[in-house]
Amino acid sequence: MNITHLECAACGLRHEAQRLLNLCRECGKPLLVRYDLERAGRSLKKESLAGRRPDLWRYREVLPVADDANIVSLGEGWTPLLKTERLGERLGLQNLFIKDESQNPTQSFKARGMATAVSMAKELGANKLAVPSAGNAAGALAAYAARAGLECFIFMPRDTPRANVVECEQTGAHVTLLDGLITDCGAEVARRKDAEGWFDVSTLKEPYRVEGKKTLGYELAEQSDWSLPDVIIYPTGGGTGLIGMWKAFDEMEQLGWIGSQRPRMVSVQAAGCAPIVRALAEGKRFADEFPNATTVASGLRVPRAIGDFMILDAIRDSGGTAIAVTDEELLAAVAETGALEGVFCAPEGAACLPALRKLIADKAVTPAERVVLFNTGAGVKYLESFS
Ligand SMILES: Cc1ncc(COP(=O)(O)O)c(C=O)c1O
Ligand SMILES: [Zn+2]
């Protein structure tokens, strides 16, 4: 294994790897995994990838887990990057793509993070896992915990889409529905975890979910012949995918695979819950909690994110932006993308389309630029939103 240590994303403090850790012991911010990339690069080469397994473990040297026997997999990652000609034509863009994450196990990109987090939890000896979730992370944890033979405890808002509740129940999880938001569910896990012996796998409160999510960045590069797009549009709740891609780009540069050029990172949020959009507009490094959060895009109903500063840093460093779209706009985009391209997006993923329209109207995207929209989940899990 090529991990050297864990490093606090805020204060830089070094922490030992191969221990069950949550946040930085000094400042309480997220820990990131650091690798000996020179060592990793000896066997991980662009040319060596061609015959490797068609899932995210193809990037094995830059992923955690010391013993291969601890890898818990359901075939996550290596999803298609679809060229969307008809949608592109409608928008006047020549190079528009959708990274279709609905094709993951449990039908969302949350499978990536849970594959690596559950594998590590298993390796480091946790046997009860707990998570607060807006829905899709719960479904993914339930499946991977079952696959690993571990117990899991899930806390979701009572009004989470029914598919998420049912999938957790049918894959053996203990499910608790609370009156409140994901932040209230997180507080409940934090309050009970020590007494119950749970390991908290809240996103960015343990170091390994972001490692699975970062493979989105490796895949984008590999699927585009090792060049990155000009613009990435990403529906942002906790922001783990965006933070992970940003980390992957730096790692790939250190591996000598790409140059210093970066895509412009665009965060999309729902108008009813847009803490990052607001913080960016106000020039803040940390985002205030967004009051009275509401949106049908349940994965975007995250009023406060522990990785807020990492999202905002990536947006600013990349010359990107953050855009809010209404529920009406994002729901209309589900049907539009479905009818034009055959991809039945989750409302969160569909939100990228109205955000792109705003960028085009502002002349912030030009016709030949390569733009990637992230469809992070499957519309079929949100049937109650399409009555
Ligand atoms: C379908 C979907 N898209 C996007 C998000 C937001 O993801 P992130 O927390 O990585 O910002 C979620 C989170 O629940 C989700 O379920
Ligand atoms: Zn710290």
Side-chain angles (χ1 to χ4, degrees), residues 244-303:
M245 282 190 270
W246 197 245
K247 181 173 190 282
F249 299 154
D250 281 348
E251 290 176 1
M252 285 192 284
E253 187 177 352
Q254 287 178 59
L255 285 163
W257 291 4
I258 60 169
S260 58
Q261 192 120 356
R262 296 288 180 271
R264 305 197 292 282
M265 306 298 279
V266 178
S267 258
V268 184
Q269 299 201 299
C273 181
I276 298 298
V277 176
R278 190 173 277 183
L280 189 72
E282 291 172 353
K284 293 185 174 160
R285 182 148 193 248
F286 297 92
D288 294 329
E289 179 157 345
F290 199 89
N292 308 315
T294 50
T295 168
V296 295
S298 45
L300 302 185
R301 202 172 48 158
V302 181

Side-chain angles (χ1 to χ4, degrees), residues 10-272:
C11 78
L13 187 70
R14 256 178 112 100
H15 293 62
E16 206 180 315
Q18 290 309 97
R19 285 187 177 211
L20 269 185
L21 292 180
N22 288 111
L23 296 166
C24 172
R25 64 170 176 269
E26 277 299 319
C27 74
K29 295 293 185 191
L31 297 174
L32 295 174
V33 182
R34 298 300 179 203
Y35 298 83
D36 180 344
L37 290 170
E38 203 188 300
R39 185 162 180 263
R42 282 181 217 147
S43 55
L44 183 64
K45 300 188 187 303
K46 291 178 188 174
E47 315 80 66
S48 69
L49 285 165
R52 291 199 181 187
R53 52 192 285 179
D55 63 23
L56 62 76
W57 299 99
R58 64 199 283 105
Y59 309 109
R60 183 71 183 91
E61 289 90 336
V62 288
L63 290 173
V65 187
D67 181 351
D68 280 354
N70 291 322
I71 291 178
V72 182
S73 178
L74 291 162
E76 53 287 337
W78 203 239
T79 57
L81 181 63
L82 304 169
K83 180 119 198 253
T84 50
E85 302 277 2
R86 256 183 296 277
L87 193 56
E89 201 173 309
R90 181 171 290 182
L91 296 170
L93 298 182
Q94 290 141 29
N95 293 295
L96 181 63
F97 296 82
I98 293 179
K99 179 75 169 156
D100 188 14
E101 287 291 294
S102 70
Q103 299 192 37
N104 276 297
T106 71
Q107 295 82 52
S108 90
F109 73 145
K110 298 282 176 182
R112 293 179 186 266
M114 287 306 181
T116 44
V118 171
S119 298
M120 280 307 288
K122 181 180 169 195
E123 180 159 280
L124 299 178
N127 38 47
K128 293 181 182 183
L129 311 179
V131 83
S133 171
N136 284 315
L141 176 63
Y144 284 91
R147 186 89 170 147
L150 303 178
E151 237 184 318
C152 80
F153 297 82
I154 279 163
F155 294 82
M156 290 184 281
R158 194 171 303 285
D159 55 357
T160 296
R162 189 169 135 71
N164 296 127
V165 178
V166 173
E167 67 178 335
C168 292
E169 289 168 349
Q170 297 301 317
T171 48
H174 304 276
V175 179
T176 307
L177 301 178
L178 296 180
D179 294 315
L181 298 174
I182 187 171
T183 35
D184 302 298
C185 296
E188 183 70 0
V189 170
R191 187 177 71 76
R192 292 177 55 189
K193 65 179 184 175
D194 288 342
E196 304 276 1
W198 296 339
F199 181 63
D200 183 353
V201 289
S202 301
T203 199
L204 293 170
K205 289 191 187 168
E206 67 76 62
Y208 301 107
R209 281 175 67 177
V210 69
E211 291 303 293
K213 290 264 186 93
K214 87 179 176 189
T215 58
L216 286 168
Y218 281 89
E219 285 179 25
L220 267 190
E222 189 179 353
Q223 291 172 328
S224 312
D225 205 15
W226 305 105
S227 70
L228 296 176
D230 298 296
V231 182
I232 284 176
I233 308 189
Y234 179 83
T236 306
T240 314
L242 187 145
I243 294 165
M245 282 190 270
W246 197 245
K247 181 173 190 282
F249 299 154
D250 281 348
E251 290 176 1
M252 285 192 284
E253 187 177 352
Q254 287 178 59
L255 285 163
W257 291 4
I258 60 169
S260 58
Q261 192 120 356
R262 296 288 180 271
R264 305 197 292 282
M265 306 298 279
V266 178
S267 258
V268 184
Q269 299 201 299

Side-chain angles (χ1 to χ4, degrees), residues 364-375:
V365 170
T366 54
E369 282 191 309
R370 192 142 46 92
V371 179
V372 177
L373 312 177
F374 273 81
N375 177 36

